[in-house]
Amino acid sequence: NTQNLPLFRSLLLFILTLILITVFLVQETAEGKRSTLRRAHEIINRTIPKWEMDTAREDLPRQCFSMLEHLNQCQSSKETVVFGCHRKWCSSSYGHCEEVNGIGDRTQRMLSMVTEALNKCIRVEFDYPQTRNGIDLRFPTSLEYRDPWGLIAEAFHFRSYDVSDEGSVDVDSWGKLRESNKAHRTFAHFTPTGYLWHKYDPCLYHILFRKTVDLHTELSYYEDLYRLKEGNTIGIHFRTGDLTAFGVKNKDIRAQGESLESSYNKMVSCAETLATKLNLSRGSSCK
């Protein structure tokens, strides 16, 4: 009977809620019974697992190794900065949604803040990795934030903290709790108000993130299709602004009054000029 369908849905949701609350209470009870030895063991294992470190060394340039080791060392700190960017549930019908800024803006500021955290050797975590953009965390075991509400938070699309106001961050206060025996977490938005991003080591991005399997497969396909590995390649970051590309009227007006085609031609011309200055020709393999 279709008239009983809403009642059935409500009952099902109520039962699911009871189950999740029970799971949470059991989890919290077990948490309280952990021994001191087990807690100490967990603190030690806050660092990056050895197999993930070994895999990263095979993938990263050698000049990034020292920063990789420093990150691993700092992950054992009891002081943690969690960088939040709530985009995961924006496409669903309910839950905490926060569109944030573009991927470039939030990545620049996030990497700048991570640099400051590593300078003070404190632990960093992320919520969430940008899998929709083809990017995932390289070390999810150590770097991915896990909310205390666990499965309940995932099922009902919420977090136990809120940085949606993009409030300012007090970077100067970071690292002052290292002498304390108590664990402490600070939550920071990817693009906090008033924060000016600064230079960071390019290795940092490649250490923290990696291409998803789908993106890696797609890139490999085009590398083989256009034989990109046979010689030099000049990449173009095709940016015309939201107005030209999508008809969205905002401050992003890089190519105002132009078409996508004319913007593309300008960028190709720029790449050809760069190739000439570098003495590169089509199909050239010179380095």
Side-chain angles (χ1 to χ4, degrees):
N1 193 335
T2 57
Q3 293 180 345
N4 295 327
L5 189 58
L7 178 62
F8 175 75
R9 288 178 178 173
S10 299
L11 181 61
L12 184 62
L13 181 60
F14 175 73
I15 295 174
L16 177 61
T17 303
L18 286 180
I19 293 174
L20 291 174
I21 291 176
T22 302
V23 171
F24 175 73
L25 291 176
V26 171
Q27 179 181 351
E28 288 297 298
T29 302
E31 182 80 16
K33 294 181 179 179
R34 287 180 181 174
S35 66
T36 304
L37 181 61
R38 185 173 178 180
R39 289 182 183 274
H41 177 73
E42 286 184 348
I43 291 175
I44 294 174
N45 283 279
R46 286 161 61 88
T47 54
I48 301 169
K50 182 179 182 302
W51 71 269
E52 288 187 349
M53 288 286 289
D54 292 341
T55 302
R57 291 189 189 97
E58 295 176 0
D59 186 43
L60 294 169
R62 184 169 296 275
Q63 60 263 37
C64 297
F65 284 9
S66 60
M67 177 169 285
L68 173 63
E69 296 296 337
H70 182 60
L71 170 68
N72 189 33
Q73 176 188 352
C74 296
Q75 286 303 96
S76 63
S77 173
K78 294 181 180 178
E79 183 176 354
T80 305
V81 178
V82 179
F83 299 100
C85 175
H86 290 275
R87 296 171 61 87
K88 184 175 182 179
W89 298 308
C90 288
S91 60
S92 64
S93 57
Y94 68 99
H96 189 155
C97 168
E98 180 185 332
E99 289 292 352
V100 201
N101 292 319
I103 186 172
D105 291 330
R106 62 178 182 264
T107 300
Q108 287 175 333
R109 285 157 180 77
M110 178 269 295
L111 290 177
S112 297
M113 289 188 288
V114 171
T115 298
E116 299 193 65
L118 292 183
N119 287 340
K120 300 179 180 183
C121 204
I122 59 179
R123 179 181 175 86
V124 294
E125 294 179 0
F126 300 91
D127 185 22
Y128 302 96
Q130 304 297 309
T131 52
R132 291 184 182 178
N133 297 310
I135 300 299
D136 206 350
L137 288 173
R138 185 179 291 277
F139 307 112
T141 305
S142 181
L143 295 180
E144 187 171 357
Y145 170 78
R146 291 170 176 78
D147 199 87
W149 282 88
L151 294 176
I152 296 179
E154 294 301 319
F156 290 94
H157 295 186
F158 75 92
R159 281 295 181 258
S160 59
Y161 70 91
D162 186 6
V163 292
S164 59
D165 61 350
E166 303 185 21
S168 59
V169 293
D170 186 8
V171 176
D172 293 335
S173 67
W174 295 357
K176 294 185 178 180
L177 300 174
R178 276 181 290 180
E179 304 301 325
S180 173
N181 290 324
K182 295 182 179 180
H184 178 77
R185 262 185 175 149
T186 299
F187 296 91
H189 192 274
F190 270 39
T191 56
T193 302
Y195 183 80
L196 300 177
W197 71 277
H198 52 76
K199 292 182 179 180
Y200 48 83
D201 191 321
C203 280
L204 187 56
Y205 179 85
H206 298 285
I207 290 173
L208 296 176
F209 302 102
R210 64 180 176 183
K211 297 185 289 291
T212 60
V213 174
D214 289 343
L215 179 60
H216 188 274
T217 300
E218 188 170 357
L219 290 176
S220 297
Y221 169 78
Y222 285 106
E223 283 180 345
D224 294 337
L225 180 64
Y226 295 109
R227 298 183 295 180
L228 297 180
K229 294 181 180 180
E230 297 180 8
N232 294 284
T233 302
I234 296 179
I236 301 175
H237 186 181
F238 184 43
R239 301 191 70 176
T240 63
D242 294 341
L243 181 62
T244 303
F246 311 111
V248 177
K249 295 182 179 180
N250 57 22
K251 296 179 180 179
D252 194 355
I253 52 175
R254 303 168 211 272
Q256 187 176 18
E258 297 186 11
S259 65
L260 281 176
E261 183 178 359
S262 63
S263 299
Y264 170 78
N265 290 333
K266 283 185 177 181
M267 294 180 188
V268 171
S269 177
C270 179
E272 290 175 342
T273 301
L274 176 61
T276 301
K277 290 182 178 180
L278 295 175
N279 197 28
L280 301 178
S281 59
R282 186 181 299 274
S284 172
S285 60
C286 60
K287 302 297 182 183

